[in-house]
Amino acid sequence: MVAVALVQMPSNQKSPSESSTSSTIGLAAILVACLTSGFAGVYTELLLKSDNSIWVKSMQLSFVSMVTSLIGVFLSDWSAVMESGFLQGYSMLVWIVILLQALGGLVIAMVMKYADNILKGFAASISIVLSCLVSYVLLEDLTLSM
């Protein structure tokens, strides 16, 4: 995500050398993201296919995530939470997105448990291509440029 942001930064008043530097930094960030993602996927597959329960691992990960998130909330939004509550601004659409993300996480865990990391990578790639095609057909917001 950082790599995409770096590559697509506006180039209003940049010299050619600055533009190529941004592209180089973006490419390097993409390569690092791909490598770390691959290693994380293989390690996750190793953990999921070991003898321990997937539910115990999920609970451990969710506990660490909750503690980290709550620390962030307390440091940045404590006054807003005290004033309006923790779930301020949550609409039905937000709850639907949360539910879909949770279900997607469970599906990915099951794919990793019963298939492998390579299959998950193919599925993610196909979903990106299909999302792009649906976006082009339904939203007509894709412009191709060379």
Side-chain angles (χ1 to χ4, degrees):
M1 192 143 148
V2 173
V4 173
L6 287 174
V7 170
Q8 296 191 8
M9 285 175 36
S11 58
N12 295 348
Q13 298 173 342
K14 288 185 177 179
S15 67
S17 64
E18 290 175 348
S19 177
S20 65
T21 303
S22 293
S23 296
T24 305
I25 292 172
L27 181 61
I30 288 172
L31 291 175
V32 168
C34 289
L35 287 174
T36 55
S37 175
F39 286 133
V42 170
Y43 183 68
T44 303
E45 182 179 352
L46 174 73
L47 289 177
L48 288 175
K49 291 187 176 181
S50 66
D51 293 333
N52 296 338
S53 170
I54 188 173
W55 299 109
V56 172
K57 292 174 187 164
S58 294
M59 293 302 290
Q60 291 170 342
L61 182 61
S62 65
F63 178 75
V64 171
S65 300
M66 283 183 354
V67 169
T68 306
S69 298
L70 286 175
I71 289 171
V73 167
F74 289 138
L75 291 177
S76 64
D77 293 331
W78 179 248
S79 60
V81 169
M82 292 307 292
E83 182 180 318
S84 302
F86 190 75
L87 301 177
Q88 61 182 332
Y90 278 42
S91 65
M92 182 57 77
L93 182 61
V94 172
W95 285 110
I96 290 171
V97 169
I98 291 170
L99 179 67
L100 288 174
Q101 290 291 323
L103 290 174
L106 291 174
V107 168
I108 288 174
M110 294 312 226
V111 166
M112 295 288 288
K113 180 75 175 175
Y114 298 111
D116 61 1
N117 189 42
I118 296 173
L119 182 62
K120 184 186 87 67
F122 281 129
S125 301
I126 290 170
S127 72
I128 291 170
V129 170
L130 287 176
S131 297
C132 181
L133 292 174
V134 168
S135 175
Y136 176 71
V137 171
L138 295 180
L139 304 176
E140 297 177 3
D141 68 347
L142 178 68
T143 54
L144 300 176
S145 63
M146 297 280 179

